[in-house]
Amino acid sequence: MPVPGAGGQSAQEARVRRPARRADHPARGGEFQRGYLAVLDGEPDPHRAARAGSRYVVGWSGENPREAALLLYGAADFGRADRSGEHTARADSGNGTAALLA
């Protein structure tokens, strides 16, 4: 029986492939984040950096439309209401990304 949103895959196929799909997203997300931060770091003027960052997001999204679709979702779409207080606090604190921006 096909699973909604799984491209016609059966439930078993979706379960088998899920770890591979999840494993790919952090790498792609990291690629996006590294590129975006590099663009921002490369421009000392904040206004120019903002414009360069915007151009990067648009360009990357055009080259990676499937991955870019994740940018349309927010915390509520990823189960924020079901998270523990500890996980919500960690996400609110930047999820450890503050060190990347320092």
Side-chain angles (χ1 to χ4, degrees), residues 27-37 56-58 60-61 71:
R28 300 298 298 201
E31 172 190 310
F32 169 79
Q33 187 173 22
R34 282 189 301 276
Y36 181 70
L37 292 176
Y56 177 83
V57 171
V58 170
W60 184 90
S61 297
L71 300 175

Side-chain angles (χ1 to χ4, degrees), residues 7-102:
Q9 296 178 359
S10 70
Q12 178 61 29
E13 290 170 325
R15 270 193 299 278
V16 169
R17 293 177 185 217
R18 185 178 302 135
R21 284 196 315 271
R22 285 186 180 159
D24 185 47
H25 285 296
R28 300 298 298 201
E31 172 190 310
F32 169 79
Q33 187 173 22
R34 282 189 301 276
Y36 181 70
L37 292 176
V39 167
L40 295 180
D41 288 343
E43 182 55 66
D45 177 66
H47 294 100
R48 288 183 181 187
R51 287 192 296 272
S54 297
R55 283 192 300 275
Y56 177 83
V57 171
V58 170
W60 184 90
S61 297
E63 294 172 8
N64 303 280
R66 290 184 65 177
E67 292 88 349
L70 287 174
L71 300 175
L72 299 174
Y73 295 91
D77 299 303
F78 291 104
R80 180 181 174 87
D82 299 325
R83 294 181 192 156
S84 70
E86 176 189 348
H87 289 106
T88 301
R90 189 171 66 188
D92 289 345
S93 71
N95 219 358
T97 57
L100 292 174
L101 301 173

